[in-house]
Amino acid sequence: MGGQIIHIACDHGGFKLKESLIIFLSGEGYDVNDLGTYSEESVDYPVFGKKAAEAVLSDGNPAIIICGTGIGISIAANRHKGIRAALCHCPEYARLTRQHNDANILSLGGRFTPENEAKKIVKAFLATGFEGGRHKNRIEMLDN
Ligand code: RB5
């Protein structure tokens, strides 16, 4: 039996971190859906932000997206209604964006976030639930 599905996508700036997070997540029992890119050859981050957004919207499972800064790919993903992609630099951001924003995509900067810190951020993101309450109306306002 497989674990929870996590989609993951990156551009060339996020490739190395994506590869190490796939190993990490698989070791933690997650079933990782790797949407590419598959090498360090230069590609366009909007393509991969879109792939991740479409995957999340199709099955409701979360995604991790990575580009050099995490900025471009999160902008791309956030163009999709229903997507709340959050660029996180520390575990506390990841906890808060799950609790308050019900973020369904975690964005990381592959050229700025060390691997060990990225693992802590991912763990916090996946372990934290949405608080609901006053935050529910606010996230509903994003799509209306
Ligand atoms: C690619 O060089 C770089 O621009 C991209 O990975 C990302 O940082 C864009 O926001």
Side-chain angles (χ1 to χ4, degrees):
M1 206 170 71
Q4 191 201 340
I5 294 170
I6 311 289
H7 306 292
I8 195 162
C10 69
D11 76 354
H12 52 288
F15 175 73
K16 277 189 181 148
L17 184 56
K18 172 173 74 72
E19 295 304 290
S20 69
L21 288 179
I22 289 172
I23 293 166
F24 171 68
L25 287 164
S26 303
E28 296 278 309
Y30 291 99
D31 189 354
V32 185
N33 177 32
D34 185 359
L35 299 166
T37 187
Y38 303 110
S39 77
E40 287 189 278
E41 189 179 323
S42 183
V43 290
D44 301 316
Y45 61 79
V47 171
F48 295 91
K50 185 171 198 257
K51 279 179 193 277
E54 288 174 348
V56 170
L57 292 172
S58 79
D59 69 8
N61 288 302
I64 297 168
I65 54 177
I66 315 165
C67 68
T69 57
I71 297 172
I73 201 165
S74 62
I75 292 172
N78 276 319
R79 296 261 166 142
H80 297 255
K81 190 170 178 174
I83 291 298
R84 294 174 301 280
L87 171 58
C88 295
H89 297 289
C90 63
E92 191 57 13
Y93 269 41
R95 264 189 294 280
L96 285 167
T97 197
R98 287 289 309 125
Q99 288 172 345
H100 293 190
N101 315 121
D102 198 17
N104 47 15
I105 299 188
L106 168 65
S107 184
L108 296 168
R111 293 182 178 141
F112 293 89
T113 307
E115 191 182 312
N116 274 345
E117 186 70 359
K119 288 177 188 169
K120 289 180 197 160
I121 294 169
V122 165
K123 271 189 118 162
F125 187 84
L126 296 175
T128 309
F130 179 46
E131 273 180 5
R134 69 187 189 281
H135 302 296
K136 191 167 178 293
N137 284 347
R138 293 169 184 164
I139 66 160
E140 281 168 3
M141 289 169 76
L142 295 170
D143 286 328
N144 292 304

